[in-house]
Amino acid sequence: MLRWEIHDVKFTGERRTCLARLDYGQKWIVSDVNMTTRTFRDFIRRLAQYASAQSIEVKYMYDGEQQTEQDTVLLRLENYREQRNGYDFQRVLKAYGISINSFWNTARS
């Protein structure tokens, strides 16, 4: 079962920049500017399923401050957007350090 750690994030229709990480990794995924918090939650849940993650941590990004450790890597979803098909899950997972082969095996089943 997937465990969520939510730091006062409200998954409503508002557009606020959020950060999320899987299994307490050092990389944080940053929501896209056109995403609502609800859309980001759904995106991260799907990504976590493909990655076989056990936990998701989500928090807001305040005033452009990352609110994370100094040496943290931020993966901005805007860099993984395709023109017609939404986001490139394969590239996001690869950048996060998750095996592409395990992703495709999970996606096909």
Side-chain angles (χ1 to χ4, degrees), residues 18-106:
C18 293
L19 301 166
R21 66 180 173 174
L22 307 176
D23 293 334
Y24 300 102
Q26 291 188 351
K27 295 178 183 178
W28 288 83
I29 299 166
V30 182
S31 63
D32 204 339
V33 294
N34 295 322
M35 272 187 176
T36 64
T37 53
R38 182 178 301 138
T39 302
F40 184 64
R41 176 201 61 198
D42 295 344
F43 177 90
I44 292 300
R45 177 185 294 132
R46 186 172 170 198
L47 193 68
Q49 289 171 341
Y50 288 140
S52 300
Q54 301 297 308
S55 67
I56 300 171
E57 183 177 3
V58 181
K59 60 174 100 177
Y60 287 124
M61 179 181 274
Y62 294 101
D63 299 324
E65 296 293 322
Q66 58 190 45
Q67 302 295 314
T68 58
E69 298 80 23
Q70 294 274 347
D71 59 347
T72 301
V73 174
L74 298 179
L75 302 176
R76 298 185 180 277
L77 287 180
E78 64 194 31
N79 297 329
Y80 300 94
R81 191 178 333 140
E82 295 181 332
Q83 275 196 283
R84 294 189 179 143
N85 299 327
Y87 297 91
D88 188 336
F89 273 84
Q90 185 177 9
R91 284 183 50 224
V92 174
L93 289 169
K94 185 175 181 181
Y96 203 79
I98 295 170
S99 169
I100 301 303
N101 292 335
S102 65
F103 164 74
W104 286 117
N105 290 337
T106 304

